[in-house]
Amino acid sequence: MAGKILLIGENPQSFLLKALTKSLEDASYEVQFSFPDKHYLETMINNDDFPEIVILYLERLEDAQNSFFPRMEKIVEKNKGIRLYFIGSLNEINQAYESIDKKHVKNAFERPIDITTFLKALESGSGDYSLSDEVKKLKLDDEKLTILVIDDEVVQLHAMERWLQKSYNVITEKSGTDGIALLKQCKVDMILLDYEMPILSGYEVFCILKNDPETADIPVVFLTGNNESETVRQVVGLNPAGYLLKNTAPAILVQKIDAIFDKLLKDK
Protein backbone atom coordinates (compact mmCIF):
# COMPACT_ATOMS: atom_id res chain seq x y z
CA MET A 1 0.00 0.00 0.00
CA ALA A 2 1.49 3.32 -1.12
CA GLY A 3 -0.40 5.28 1.54
CA LYS A 4 -3.77 6.71 2.48
CA ILE A 5 -5.42 9.67 0.79
CA LEU A 6 -8.39 11.75 1.87
CA LEU A 7 -9.94 13.10 -1.33
CA ILE A 8 -12.34 15.98 -0.68
CA GLY A 9 -14.70 17.13 -3.41
CA GLU A 10 -18.27 18.05 -4.28
CA ASN A 11 -19.12 15.74 -7.16
CA PRO A 12 -17.75 12.17 -6.79
CA GLN A 13 -19.58 11.12 -9.98
CA SER A 14 -17.71 13.53 -12.28
CA PHE A 15 -15.72 11.83 -15.04
CA LEU A 16 -12.39 13.36 -14.05
CA LEU A 17 -12.80 12.78 -10.31
CA LYS A 18 -13.65 9.11 -10.90
CA ALA A 19 -10.65 8.81 -13.21
CA LEU A 20 -8.39 10.39 -10.59
CA THR A 21 -9.64 8.01 -7.90
CA LYS A 22 -9.11 5.00 -10.15
CA SER A 23 -5.57 6.11 -11.05
CA LEU A 24 -4.67 6.62 -7.38
CA GLU A 25 -6.05 3.20 -6.46
CA ASP A 26 -4.17 1.61 -9.37
CA ALA A 27 -1.01 3.17 -7.89
CA SER A 28 -1.79 1.30 -4.61
CA TYR A 29 -3.14 4.27 -2.65
CA GLU A 30 -6.10 3.73 -0.36
CA VAL A 31 -8.52 6.53 -1.25
CA GLN A 32 -11.25 7.76 1.08
CA PHE A 33 -13.69 10.30 -0.36
CA SER A 34 -15.43 13.01 1.65
CA PHE A 35 -17.63 15.98 0.94
CA PRO A 36 -16.33 19.27 2.47
CA ASP A 37 -17.88 18.73 5.90
CA LYS A 38 -15.95 20.37 8.75
CA HIS A 39 -17.72 18.24 11.38
CA TYR A 40 -16.61 15.08 9.59
CA LEU A 41 -13.11 16.54 9.41
CA GLU A 42 -13.11 17.11 13.18
CA THR A 43 -14.04 13.47 13.72
CA MET A 44 -11.35 12.29 11.32
CA ILE A 45 -8.53 14.39 12.79
CA ASN A 46 -9.02 12.82 16.21
CA ASN A 47 -8.46 9.44 14.61
CA ASP A 48 -4.88 8.14 14.79
CA ASP A 49 -5.35 6.77 11.28
CA PHE A 50 -5.85 10.19 9.64
CA PRO A 51 -4.42 10.12 6.09
CA GLU A 52 -1.07 11.79 5.49
CA ILE A 53 -2.22 13.10 2.11
CA VAL A 54 -5.26 15.36 1.65
CA ILE A 55 -6.38 16.40 -1.83
CA LEU A 56 -8.88 19.22 -2.28
CA TYR A 57 -10.57 18.80 -5.66
CA LEU A 58 -11.71 22.39 -6.04
CA GLU A 59 -14.41 22.08 -8.71
CA ARG A 60 -17.69 23.46 -7.29
CA LEU A 61 -16.19 24.05 -3.81
CA GLU A 62 -16.91 27.81 -3.74
CA ASP A 63 -19.43 27.45 -0.90
CA ALA A 64 -16.86 25.65 1.26
CA GLN A 65 -14.33 28.48 1.24
CA ASN A 66 -15.91 30.49 4.05
CA SER A 67 -16.48 27.57 6.42
CA PHE A 68 -14.61 24.39 5.57
CA PHE A 69 -11.38 25.85 4.15
CA PRO A 70 -10.37 27.86 7.27
CA ARG A 71 -10.78 24.74 9.40
CA MET A 72 -8.76 22.72 6.90
CA GLU A 73 -5.98 25.33 7.13
CA LYS A 74 -5.88 25.13 10.94
CA ILE A 75 -5.68 21.33 10.87
CA VAL A 76 -2.80 21.32 8.38
CA GLU A 77 -1.01 24.07 10.33
CA LYS A 78 -1.34 22.08 13.55
CA ASN A 79 -0.45 18.70 12.04
CA LYS A 80 2.79 19.21 10.15
CA GLY A 81 2.77 15.66 8.80
CA ILE A 82 -0.26 16.30 6.57
CA ARG A 83 0.47 17.04 2.92
CA LEU A 84 -2.24 19.16 1.31
CA TYR A 85 -2.68 19.39 -2.47
CA PHE A 86 -5.04 21.47 -4.61
CA ILE A 87 -6.48 20.33 -7.94
CA GLY A 88 -8.53 22.86 -9.88
CA SER A 89 -8.65 25.47 -12.59
CA LEU A 90 -6.25 28.38 -12.26
CA ASN A 91 -9.10 30.59 -11.05
CA GLU A 92 -10.26 27.99 -8.49
CA ILE A 93 -6.71 27.59 -7.16
CA ASN A 94 -6.25 31.34 -6.77
CA GLN A 95 -9.59 31.61 -4.94
CA ALA A 96 -8.63 28.73 -2.61
CA TYR A 97 -5.38 30.51 -1.74
CA GLU A 98 -7.50 33.38 -0.42
CA SER A 99 -8.76 31.02 2.31
CA ILE A 100 -5.75 28.74 2.81
CA ASP A 101 -2.27 30.25 2.93
CA LYS A 102 0.13 28.92 0.28
CA LYS A 103 2.64 27.91 2.94
CA HIS A 104 0.22 25.19 4.09
CA VAL A 105 -0.25 23.75 0.58
CA LYS A 106 2.33 21.27 -0.71
CA ASN A 107 1.45 21.92 -4.34
CA ALA A 108 -1.38 22.91 -6.67
CA PHE A 109 -2.17 21.27 -10.01
CA GLU A 110 -4.26 22.66 -12.82
CA ARG A 111 -7.26 20.54 -13.86
CA PRO A 112 -7.28 18.25 -15.79
CA ILE A 113 -4.01 16.98 -14.36
CA ASP A 114 -1.26 14.94 -15.92
CA ILE A 115 -1.70 11.88 -13.70
CA THR A 116 1.89 10.65 -14.21
CA THR A 117 3.28 13.97 -13.01
CA PHE A 118 0.86 14.06 -10.09
CA LEU A 119 1.82 10.56 -8.94
CA LYS A 120 5.49 11.57 -9.07
CA ALA A 121 4.70 14.49 -6.76
CA LEU A 122 2.86 12.23 -4.29
CA GLU A 123 5.65 9.65 -4.35
CA SER A 124 8.43 12.18 -3.84
CA GLY A 125 6.53 14.08 -1.16
CA SER A 126 7.91 17.29 -2.60
CA GLY A 127 6.41 20.34 -4.24
CA ASP A 128 8.73 20.14 -7.22
CA TYR A 129 6.26 18.85 -9.78
CA SER A 130 3.35 20.63 -11.38
CA LEU A 131 1.66 20.53 -14.75
CA SER A 132 3.00 23.95 -15.65
CA ASP A 133 6.55 23.00 -14.59
CA GLU A 134 6.73 19.77 -16.55
CA VAL A 135 5.45 20.56 -20.02
CA LYS A 136 5.78 17.67 -22.42
CA LYS A 137 8.71 18.29 -24.74
CA LEU A 138 7.40 18.13 -28.29
CA LYS A 139 9.32 18.59 -31.53
CA LEU A 140 6.72 19.72 -34.03
CA ASP A 141 7.19 20.60 -37.68
CA ASP A 142 5.38 23.88 -38.37
CA GLU A 143 4.73 22.70 -41.93
CA LYS A 144 2.69 19.69 -40.80
CA LEU A 145 -0.75 19.30 -39.23
CA THR A 146 -0.71 17.77 -35.75
CA ILE A 147 -2.63 14.67 -34.68
CA LEU A 148 -3.13 13.53 -31.08
CA VAL A 149 -3.72 9.78 -30.76
CA ILE A 150 -5.33 8.59 -27.50
CA ASP A 151 -5.37 4.83 -26.99
CA ASP A 152 -4.67 2.60 -23.97
CA GLU A 153 -2.98 0.00 -26.19
CA VAL A 154 0.72 0.87 -26.44
CA VAL A 155 1.23 -1.34 -29.50
CA GLN A 156 -1.56 0.51 -31.30
CA LEU A 157 -0.04 3.88 -30.36
CA HIS A 158 3.37 2.93 -31.72
CA ALA A 159 1.81 1.61 -34.92
CA MET A 160 -0.23 4.79 -35.48
CA GLU A 161 2.86 6.90 -34.89
CA ARG A 162 4.85 4.92 -37.48
CA TRP A 163 2.08 5.07 -40.08
CA LEU A 164 1.33 8.76 -39.71
CA GLN A 165 4.62 10.47 -38.86
CA LYS A 166 5.68 10.90 -42.50
CA SER A 167 2.76 13.22 -43.21
CA TYR A 168 1.83 14.57 -39.77
CA ASN A 169 3.15 15.57 -36.38
CA VAL A 170 1.98 12.71 -34.13
CA ILE A 171 1.52 12.97 -30.35
CA THR A 172 0.44 9.89 -28.40
CA GLU A 173 -1.17 9.50 -24.98
CA LYS A 174 -2.22 6.29 -23.18
CA SER A 175 -5.30 7.61 -21.38
CA GLY A 176 -8.08 10.11 -21.78
CA THR A 177 -6.97 12.09 -18.73
CA ASP A 178 -3.43 12.47 -20.07
CA GLY A 179 -4.78 13.42 -23.50
CA ILE A 180 -7.03 16.10 -22.02
CA ALA A 181 -4.14 17.43 -19.93
CA LEU A 182 -1.89 17.64 -22.98
CA LEU A 183 -4.46 19.79 -24.78
CA LYS A 184 -3.86 22.45 -22.13
CA GLN A 185 -0.26 22.67 -23.36
CA CYS A 186 -0.46 22.02 -27.09
CA LYS A 187 -2.73 22.85 -30.02
CA VAL A 188 -3.66 19.92 -32.26
CA ASP A 189 -5.57 19.73 -35.54
CA MET A 190 -7.24 16.34 -35.01
CA ILE A 191 -7.73 13.75 -32.26
CA LEU A 192 -7.80 10.02 -33.01
CA LEU A 193 -9.65 8.62 -30.01
CA ASP A 194 -10.02 4.98 -28.98
CA TYR A 195 -13.71 4.34 -28.36
CA GLU A 196 -13.12 1.42 -25.94
CA MET A 197 -10.85 2.50 -23.08
CA PRO A 198 -10.79 1.81 -19.32
CA ILE A 199 -11.33 4.51 -16.65
CA LEU A 200 -12.50 7.20 -19.09
CA SER A 201 -14.10 5.68 -22.17
CA GLY A 202 -13.80 7.28 -25.57
CA TYR A 203 -17.41 8.41 -25.23
CA GLU A 204 -16.68 10.15 -21.91
CA VAL A 205 -13.53 11.82 -23.25
CA PHE A 206 -15.50 13.00 -26.31
CA CYS A 207 -18.17 14.56 -24.06
CA ILE A 208 -15.53 16.35 -21.95
CA LEU A 209 -13.84 17.73 -25.06
CA LYS A 210 -17.08 18.92 -26.65
CA ASN A 211 -18.26 20.60 -23.42
CA ASP A 212 -15.05 22.64 -23.09
CA PRO A 213 -14.99 25.74 -25.35
CA GLU A 214 -11.21 25.41 -25.68
CA THR A 215 -11.43 21.92 -27.24
CA ALA A 216 -14.97 21.78 -28.63
CA ASP A 217 -13.92 22.60 -32.18
CA ILE A 218 -11.11 20.02 -32.47
CA PRO A 219 -12.19 17.30 -34.94
CA VAL A 220 -12.41 13.88 -33.25
CA VAL A 221 -12.12 10.64 -35.21
CA PHE A 222 -12.98 7.51 -33.26
CA LEU A 223 -10.83 4.38 -33.45
CA THR A 224 -12.59 1.09 -32.75
CA GLY A 225 -11.70 -2.55 -33.00
CA ASN A 226 -15.36 -3.52 -32.99
CA ASN A 227 -17.27 -3.31 -36.26
CA GLU A 228 -20.55 -4.70 -34.90
CA SER A 229 -23.54 -2.69 -36.06
CA GLU A 230 -24.51 -1.54 -32.55
CA THR A 231 -21.04 -0.14 -31.84
CA VAL A 232 -20.95 1.61 -35.21
CA ARG A 233 -24.40 3.06 -34.55
CA GLN A 234 -23.27 4.43 -31.17
CA VAL A 235 -20.10 5.93 -32.63
CA VAL A 236 -21.85 7.55 -35.60
CA GLY A 237 -24.60 8.84 -33.31
CA LEU A 238 -22.08 11.08 -31.56
CA ASN A 239 -21.47 12.88 -34.85
CA PRO A 240 -17.64 12.73 -34.80
CA ALA A 241 -15.52 13.88 -37.73
CA GLY A 242 -15.24 10.20 -38.64
CA TYR A 243 -14.48 6.72 -37.35
CA LEU A 244 -11.88 4.15 -38.35
CA LEU A 245 -11.56 0.44 -37.72
CA LYS A 246 -8.27 -0.51 -36.11
CA ASN A 247 -7.78 -3.48 -38.41
CA THR A 248 -7.81 -1.24 -41.49
CA ALA A 249 -4.67 -1.71 -43.60
CA PRO A 250 -2.12 1.01 -42.72
CA ALA A 251 -2.01 2.59 -46.19
CA ILE A 252 -5.83 2.72 -46.37
CA LEU A 253 -6.07 4.14 -42.86
CA VAL A 254 -3.68 6.97 -43.72
CA GLN A 255 -5.64 7.67 -46.92
CA LYS A 256 -8.87 7.90 -44.93
CA ILE A 257 -7.31 10.34 -42.46
CA ASP A 258 -6.02 12.42 -45.40
CA ALA A 259 -9.54 12.43 -46.85
CA ILE A 260 -11.09 13.53 -43.54
CA PHE A 261 -8.62 16.42 -43.31
CA ASP A 262 -9.35 17.39 -46.93
CA LYS A 263 -13.09 17.46 -46.23
CA LEU A 264 -12.62 19.51 -43.05
CA LEU A 265 -10.48 22.06 -44.86
CA LYS A 266 -13.01 22.37 -47.69
CA ASP A 267 -15.89 22.86 -45.22
CA LYS A 268 -14.15 25.77 -43.49
Side-chain angles (χ1 to χ4, degrees), residues 224-235:
T224 177
N226 187 346
N227 63 352
E228 294 181 0
S229 58
E230 179 59 23
T231 300
V232 173
R233 185 189 65 79
Q234 292 173 355
V235 169

Side-chain angles (χ1 to χ4, degrees), residues 16-241:
L16 292 181
L17 194 52
K18 287 195 292 185
L20 172 63
T21 301
K22 180 66 166 55
S23 296
L24 292 170
E25 291 174 342
D26 287 346
S28 299
Y29 287 97
E30 180 182 330
V31 182
Q32 180 173 357
F33 179 83
S34 172
F35 292 99
D37 184 332
K38 65 179 181 180
H39 301 296
Y40 172 78
L41 196 63
E42 295 286 355
T43 302
M44 284 288 294
I45 198 62
N46 293 322
N47 189 329
D48 293 336
D49 205 24
F50 190 84
E52 176 190 1
I53 300 170
V54 177
I55 300 171
L56 286 184
Y57 196 83
L58 299 173
E59 185 180 24
R60 295 169 56 183
L61 286 190
E62 296 87 351
D63 293 341
Q65 293 189 20
N66 294 327
S67 55
F68 177 81
F69 280 27
R71 186 56 190 149
M72 184 80 252
E73 180 182 48
K74 289 180 180 178
I75 287 174
V76 176
E77 183 177 19
K78 182 178 178 181
N79 298 270
K80 301 301 183 182
I82 296 176
R83 290 188 280 145
L84 177 62
Y85 296 88
F86 288 165
I87 296 176
S89 68
L90 187 59
N91 184 54
E92 290 166 343
I93 291 169
N94 287 333
Q95 286 183 348
Y97 278 140
E98 294 177 5
S99 301
I100 300 179
D101 195 291
K102 285 186 178 182
K103 67 183 179 182
H104 300 308
V105 182
K106 199 69 176 178
N107 206 340
F109 292 80
E110 291 179 67
R111 187 184 73 245
I113 62 170
D114 180 329
I115 191 62
T116 302
T117 299
F118 186 59
L119 290 174
K120 284 181 182 178
L122 295 185
E123 183 179 354
S124 68
S126 74
D128 295 337
Y129 297 95
S130 70
L131 181 58
S132 57
D133 291 337
E134 192 171 287
V135 175
K136 189 166 184 174
K137 302 299 186 295
L138 301 170
K139 294 182 179 179
L140 303 180
D141 184 342
D142 292 338
E143 300 298 318
K144 293 180 178 180
L145 296 170
T146 300
I147 297 176
L148 169 61
V149 186
I150 304 175
D151 196 312
D152 65 302
E153 297 178 4
V154 175
V155 173
Q156 183 72 28
L157 286 179
H158 289 168
M160 296 295 289
E161 187 170 21
R162 288 197 312 273
W163 300 339
L164 295 169
Q165 63 185 357
K166 183 177 179 179
S167 302
Y168 302 100
N169 294 312
V170 183
I171 308 169
T172 60
E173 291 292 354
K174 293 186 292 185
S175 73
T177 51
D178 287 344
I180 292 168
L182 182 133
L183 292 171
K184 295 292 183 180
Q185 310 167 26
C186 179
K187 179 181 180 300
V188 305
D189 299 290
M190 178 184 289
I191 299 171
L192 301 183
L193 177 61
D194 183 14
Y195 187 70
E196 298 101 356
M197 288 192 298
I199 305 179
L200 278 184
S201 68
Y203 166 78
E204 291 170 320
V205 174
F206 183 86
C207 291
I208 291 170
L209 295 173
K210 293 305 175 183
N211 285 318
D212 185 339
E214 294 185 4
T215 57
D217 293 332
I218 302 174
V220 176
V221 175
F222 279 115
L223 300 171
T224 177
N226 187 346
N227 63 352
E228 294 181 0
S229 58
E230 179 59 23
T231 300
V232 173
R233 185 189 65 79
Q234 292 173 355
V235 169
V236 173
L238 294 172
N239 196 29

